[in-house]
Amino acid sequence: MANISTAGVDPTKMGVGRAIAVLTSGGDAQGMNAAVRATVRVGLYTGAKVFFVHEGYQGLVDGGDHIRPATWESVSMMLQLGGTVIGSARCKDFQTREGRLKAASNLVKLGVTNLCVIGGDGSLTGANIFRTEWSDLLKDLISKGKITKEEAKTSSHLNIVGMVGSIDNDFCGTDMTIGTDSALHRIIEVVDSITTTAQSHQRAFILEVMGRHCGYLALVTALACGADWVFIPEMPPDDGWEDHLCRRLTETRKAGSRLNVIIVAEGAINKAGKPITCDQLKDLVTKRLGYDTRATILGHVQRGGTPSAFDRVLGSRMGVEAVMALLEATPETPACVVSLSGNQAVRLPLMECVQVTKDVTVAMNEGRFDDAVKLRGRSFENNWNTYKLLAHVRPPETKSNINVAILNVGAPCAGMNAAVRAAVRIGIIQGHNMLAVHDGFEGLALEKPITWNIVGEWTGKGGSELGTKRVLPGKYMEEISLNIAKYNIHALVIIGGFEAFSGALEMVQGRGKYEELCIPMVIIPATVSNNLPGSDFSIGADTALNTITSTCDRIKQSAAGTKRRVFIIETMGGYCGYLATMAGLSAGADAAYIYEEKFGIRDLERNVEHLTEKMKTTVKRGLILRFVIQCVRVLKGITSINSISNYTTDFIFNLYSEEGKGVFDCRKNVLGHMQQGGTPTPFDRNFATKMGAKAVLWLTEKLKECYRHGRIFANTPDSACVLGMRKRGLVLQPLAELKEETDFEHRIPKNQWWLKLRPIMKILAKYKISLDTSEHTLMEHVISKKPPVHMTLTK
């Protein structure tokens, strides 16, 4: 989260006497409203005045009613809305010096010296020009008598901070721009719908997605739906691609598939720089192969709809960071853009990011396509490499004689099948025999190999096609070791939740007794609870979070319609409060009660009082999230559960109902197992695909290390690892190390990164709390100091 600069500074006084204006510019993107809401509320929290600038830069130039004071209530109920409620426009007036003079005059008259711009690279470049010219603009305004010297002195410097709002994800320096994830949701919804009709009629479908000159949307869509081919501008196909494409489609049909899917970025080109269009591809497939082929151009549907949970949280985090960056800025601080790198909020020099973004275009124009892919950043490059592995490489004729078994353990979750598919296909590409284990550790009596075609359409399927159980391997250790020997298993891929982690630990501990267990194994975290040590994210958590968020949206709509109503909503998660906290952020909840943050009757009373005050404003509804504690220990006969279990959902509901009499009434909802169901989100599909691929590639290298005297023998700590996302990348950590970081009684890591986001949720709900001021987010660089610029992206 954003952190304030100096320890000891009262965050509620940082903005006193200062004013912030926020505007959205260029193309709209889902999640912009979350960023606007966070900017306004955190700005007000710091004591600053905050102004809306309606209709983007045009409103800045026109002034008057286009620049209005923002209040706490004015951003209520906008979190779930798509687009931008303060409007956006492409403004030619601001491109002229005369237009910028008018904009400067309007800001000076209002005492605004801090400008937050949410838009693409063009909008942010315009903001930097405005900032660079600021002193000269003030001089001109003084000479023309538009402002006084005193006004100019008060507004002597303009601070600029940008947030990138664009569905194209074409801005270098950030892994994800606001709106990209939501656009992927729209695209995948269409792809899933088209897939069913394509299978019915054995059709080939060609889909064109947006992105201008960036292929991110097309590339991730191809990964998320298992497309047969993708065309992106950063990497045009080799000459003769028409023959290669037709051969690939034919092979897919011969292998038993009833459909073909081709994804095309709107800026796709061939090596000569000529466009590759849907119609061109349709004619090619129809004439050469005779397939019934349809082409669909998705268009602006990708910009519409409600923002995903990811975009809401991203917009909220970026909004907080933007306000802090503005209030910490000095005249020497360069204009910055707040950005996402892995799981970290970072600040980057705006013009460095713009420069690298331009360098991508230069690289493509000069035919340096490998450079263009690298310049897009590590995330884009990883996606491209994973896609190439899964889609364009033929399985080798020479086998490795290595058998890799895959099993799912624990509760089912969306994305498990995508991880299995990627692992199976990468394994086959490496020449391994991939074996399916059904029903977790209990089912480690293998029946048959799992093939390339069996997993073909698993990417978009929820649940677990292999079947999964919570049973741990302890009591089956002898049978498991016998089966490992019987089927000559050389490595294990274990996909699942806390039971997968605990079970793998038991198997590692069993190596001393059973030599057959001395094989490399990797655990891929997959659970809605997101409670595994070694990874900031688990497969399935994003899908569950979106399910909760969309349900909360409907409930808020009901509450807003009836007025004076508070809803208590129970989420899953065991003792881990991740879902409740992140759903609280994405749905705009008033409180989220979790195990990790102790609370008592006094806290509940204060929250009731807070809601009572809220009902006196124009916002006459409330939303309370509470995670559910799974009663596993009660079933085992242990009755000493943490005292928090006394504060059940029913207890909280009854308390709110009693204390709120005459002011508001209460309703409760227990969401239950619907959080484990549904088709996986684009994030979970993409994340699972990359995790599955990375796991098998790591195992392949580890097997080479562990091959001694004609057999595999692995008993070192680093031969059994958890593959997880940590801050800015995928890392492998030995189970033995992670054991020390784990609270086994409550099935959670001892340290959880998302707890730092809880103050944001409380501040956005208008609680009077203090932010941690002990840390500081420093400005980072996108371009290293060594030339050439086009080869120095460090993201």
Side-chain angles (χ1 to χ4, degrees), residues 143-289:
S143 65
K144 292 180 179 181
K146 299 287 187 182
I147 63 173
T148 66
K149 288 184 178 180
E150 288 73 21
E151 287 174 325
K153 186 177 180 181
T154 306
S155 304
S156 60
H157 180 73
L158 179 68
N159 296 318
I160 295 284
V161 170
M163 286 183 267
V164 191
S166 168
I167 68 166
D168 302 331
N169 203 32
D170 58 351
F171 193 82
C172 293
T174 182
D175 287 349
M176 286 284 271
T177 57
I178 296 168
T180 303
D181 188 66
S182 300
L184 286 168
H185 274 252
R186 301 295 93 76
I187 295 167
I188 292 301
E189 286 165 9
V190 172
V191 172
D192 285 350
S193 299
I194 280 176
T195 298
T196 56
T197 182
Q199 284 177 325
S200 300
H201 298 277
Q202 298 190 61
R203 284 178 175 151
F205 265 90
I206 302 159
L207 284 89
E208 181 186 290
V209 301
M210 292 176 105
R212 293 192 303 171
H213 303 298
C214 178
Y216 184 87
L217 288 178
L219 179 55
V220 175
T221 298
L223 272 176
C225 72
D228 296 287
W229 201 286
V230 63
F231 292 92
I232 60 173
E234 291 87 351
M235 190 57 73
D238 294 329
D239 294 336
W241 61 267
E242 295 90 345
D243 294 334
H244 188 179
L245 172 63
C246 290
R247 184 171 65 250
R248 178 161 182 73
L249 298 184
T250 303
E251 288 172 353
T252 305
R253 289 293 178 99
K254 284 180 179 177
S257 177
R258 292 178 57 85
L259 80 157
N260 298 109
V261 177
I262 301 168
I263 306 296
V264 189
E266 64 179 349
I269 54 173
N270 61 21
K271 290 282 188 184
K274 299 290 176 63
I276 295 175
T277 66
C278 275
D279 289 338
Q280 179 186 343
L281 292 169
K282 180 182 176 183
D283 290 343
L284 172 70
V285 175
T286 303
K287 289 175 182 176
R288 285 213 193 176
L289 302 178

Side-chain angles (χ1 to χ4, degrees), residues 2-6 9 14 18 114 159 161 320-333 347 772-773 775-779:
N3 295 292
I4 304 171
S5 58
T6 308
V9 173
M14 285 184 68
R18 305 176 72 176
N114 299 281
N159 296 318
V161 170
V320 175
E321 190 69 56
V323 172
M324 296 307 159
L326 283 170
L327 297 182
E328 291 170 10
T330 66
E332 291 73 38
T333 307
R347 302 178 192 174
D772 176 14
T773 61
E775 296 181 21
H776 180 46
T777 303
L778 299 173
M779 184 86 77

Side-chain angles (χ1 to χ4, degrees), residues 4 98 101 247 273 334 343 354 402 449 484 521 537 592 602 612 642 737-738 763:
I4 304 171
E98 187 59 36
L101 268 175
R247 184 171 65 250
N343 187 33
V354 170
I402 293 293
I484 288 175
M521 55 187 79
F537 295 105
R602 294 285 173 264
T612 302
N642 188 290
E737 290 180 12
L738 294 174
I763 287 168

